[in-house]
Amino acid sequence: MTDTNFDLSRRSFLDRVLMAAAGAGMTAAAPWAAIAAGTAAATSDRVRIGVIGTGDRGRTLIQNINKTRNCMVAAICDNYEPHLTKARPYVGANTPVYADHRAMLEKGGLDALVIATPLNLHAKHVLDGFDAGLHVWCEKAMARTIPDCSAMVKRSQDSRKILQIGHQRMFHPTYLNALRRAKAGEIGSLTQIRASWHRNNSWRRPVPAGVSDRQINWRLYRDSSAGLMTELATHQLQVGNWFFDAVPTRVMGSGSICFWKDGREVYDHVALIYEYAGGRKLIYTSLLNNARYGCEEQIQGSKGTIEPELGRIFQEVPPKVLALQRMQKDVARGKKRAVPIGGATWFPELPVTTPGESLGWGEYDETMLQFEGFGEAVRANRALPGLLAQAYAASVASLLGEQAMDRGEALTWPTSLVTI
């Protein structure tokens, strides 16, 4: 399979890329691929989804569900009327609208739920969905606490209902190709991953009359969010675990409210080190007052580097001989030549500026693709393998990182997690 295979329209991705991947070793890295590829997607049998939470993210999810071949939005719910008003144009005119999710569940007529509510409500809404006999897709991070994450996994297992978490990079063709090439050894032994998600805004939203700041800006308060760790870092911790094919052994870090001193409770600047077996490390930083380096991951191996967010792979080039080392060899051989006293010759470890090789880009939408995968899983009543384990580990890692920063000490990986 060549990189050209990844330059596909989003409509043909599951049909063509995953079937090709099944015969090219991709299933070892993305075990859900073979199942998703081998399932027909008849538009006459669409999965009926109720969406709880129609804020900015919820409306984006609705629009992506609308693009799928195998899912449809059959009901929407939000306890904040302005969000419902904004969501109505994206659903059919006769689509039921609810202010209370319990009324939506009691009404019935659904196969699955999509949860896009504030983080501290995820566990309740997911568990209520399972109690109603529905499959559930939930936004990342999973929940506000590690025990709640575990409870969601356990209830999914006990109810034999699917729980899929919104880690769309596992459906991104460029990331899948990057993972395939890393597993094939193209960049050698992986020893370090550097990841960052930097923005330059306060994350604070205007608060309309009649609602509280905590309702609108829930990401800024500890009871409802872990801030950067659950809203951003979870994505990239999943990528790190994915490429290392492991979970961390321990984490240490430092967090602070460094710039936006506006009454928020969550850190606006975090820096952490996640250690993995064999001395491997994931170094993670995130801040809200400088966007120069934005969102990126650098997968570093002994033979090269992969930057999946940029869609590039770089082969490692042996460094040039230092000028002083060359002069030493010349003296030993009795040779004479001019010796530069400045310039790049003295700094062979300057950043590599070569363009690298493309990992493939195309007209696809990984957020839509994950819903097509979810739809196939619901129709087959079989979870796409590997997805929940990845999401669970990523959420635990993000929350453990928050605890390590709060305590100012290194914390080891929990031993009491649910086995998936």
Side-chain angles (χ1 to χ4, degrees):
M1 181 169 56
T2 66
D3 294 339
T4 306
N5 293 104
F6 285 81
D7 191 19
L8 302 168
S9 72
R10 55 184 179 234
R11 287 289 181 183
S12 63
F13 176 73
L14 285 176
D15 296 329
R16 294 167 58 191
V17 174
L18 293 180
M19 284 189 284
M26 182 70 84
T27 51
W32 54 268
I35 293 176
T39 309
T43 56
S44 60
D45 187 22
R46 295 192 172 191
V47 173
R48 300 166 298 173
I49 293 176
V51 177
I52 304 178
T54 59
D56 287 348
R57 186 58 181 167
R59 293 193 298 276
T60 296
L61 298 180
I62 290 171
Q63 293 174 71
N64 277 278
I65 294 169
N66 290 342
K67 298 173 185 176
T68 66
R69 302 165 297 175
N70 53 6
C71 298
M72 62 175 290
V73 177
I76 58 174
C77 175
D78 201 300
N79 62 5
Y80 184 50
E81 177 58 35
H83 284 169
L84 285 175
T85 299
K86 291 180 179 179
R88 283 188 174 94
Y90 299 111
V91 299
N94 296 322
T95 302
V97 176
Y98 299 90
D100 188 329
H101 76 283
R102 292 167 297 186
M104 183 174 75
L105 297 179
E106 290 171 2
K107 181 66 175 178
L110 302 175
D111 303 305
L113 292 181
V114 163
I115 310 298
T117 52
L119 179 65
N120 62 311
L121 299 178
H122 283 187
K124 173 177 175 50
H125 291 151
V126 167
L127 298 181
D128 285 351
F130 288 146
D131 288 345
L134 302 178
H135 302 285
V136 180
W137 185 102
C138 181
E139 259 297 350
K140 61 86 209 135
M142 287 182 67
R144 182 63 188 92
T145 68
I146 293 176
D148 275 352
C149 293
S150 299
M152 291 161 64
V153 172
K154 188 68 167 57
R155 187 71 66 83
S156 172
Q157 294 173 333
D158 292 344
S159 66
R160 297 184 179 180
K161 294 297 180 181
I162 293 161
L163 174 60
Q164 185 170 317
I165 307 299
H167 283 281
Q168 65 266 28
R169 282 166 176 78
M170 288 190 282
F171 289 82
H172 195 306
T174 301
Y175 275 81
L176 288 169
N177 197 21
L179 186 64
R180 177 182 67 87
R181 297 183 67 166
K183 295 295 182 183
E186 291 192 29
I187 61 170
S189 298
L190 307 187
T191 56
Q192 178 172 282
I193 295 174
R194 296 196 303 180
S196 63
W197 201 324
H198 298 161
R199 293 178 173 178
N200 197 344
N201 61 67
S202 70
W203 240 8
R204 183 173 289 283
R205 299 182 178 187
V207 180
V211 293
S212 69
D213 181 59
R214 287 181 177 267
Q215 182 177 353
I216 300 300
N217 289 304
W218 57 269
R219 291 176 182 84
L220 304 182
Y221 296 98
R222 284 294 187 103
D223 58 352
S224 49
S225 175
L228 296 170
M229 295 307 298
T230 47
E231 305 309 314
L232 299 182
T234 313
H235 276 303
Q236 294 170 298
L237 294 175
Q238 182 274 311
V239 171
N241 293 342
W242 203 21
F243 276 82
F244 277 152
D245 194 20
V247 296
T249 56
R250 68 172 188 161
V251 58
M252 62 193 78
S254 173
S256 60
I257 301 175
C258 181
F259 185 81
W260 297 103
K261 301 181 186 300
D262 56 0
R264 70 186 60 209
E265 297 172 353
V266 299
Y267 301 135
D268 66 0
H269 186 282
V270 300
L272 303 102
I273 299 175
Y274 287 85
E275 294 183 348
Y276 292 74
R280 299 171 296 171
K281 297 174 180 64
L282 186 155
I283 302 170
Y284 185 80
T285 62
S286 184
L287 65 155
L288 289 175
N289 67 289
N290 186 294
R292 168 66 177 86
Y293 292 102
C295 176
E296 62 180 359
E297 300 102 15
Q298 298 160 356
I299 317 297
Q300 298 175 297
S302 57
K303 297 180 181 178
T305 300
I306 289 176
E307 297 184 358
E309 195 70 40
L310 299 177
R312 313 299 295 181
I313 180 171
F314 302 84
Q315 300 301 326
E316 195 78 5
V317 179
K320 296 179 181 179
V321 177
L322 282 169
L324 286 177
Q325 293 174 341
R326 188 172 62 190
M327 182 178 68
Q328 185 180 30
K329 292 179 180 179
D330 287 346
V331 170
R333 292 194 297 261
K335 293 182 62 176
K336 296 180 180 180
R337 75 170 90 187
V339 178
I341 61 172
T345 303
W346 291 81
F347 305 98
E349 286 81 25
L350 285 173
V352 175
T353 56
T354 57
E357 177 190 345
S358 174
L359 290 168
W361 291 97
E363 186 184 352
Y364 39 68
D365 190 326
E366 65 273 16
T367 301
M368 185 280 288
L369 292 173
Q370 67 179 334
F371 282 117
E372 288 211 347
F374 178 63
E376 298 312 306
V378 170
R379 285 150 50 101
N381 195 29
R382 181 181 178 186
L384 301 179
L387 295 186
L388 183 56
Q390 284 282 337
Y392 185 34
S395 287
V396 170
S398 69
L399 294 167
L400 192 67
E402 178 195 30
Q403 293 175 22
M405 291 187 292
D406 288 348
R407 298 181 190 180
E409 61 186 40
L411 297 182
T412 58
W413 190 253
T415 59
S416 59
L417 299 179
V418 179
T419 300
I420 299 179

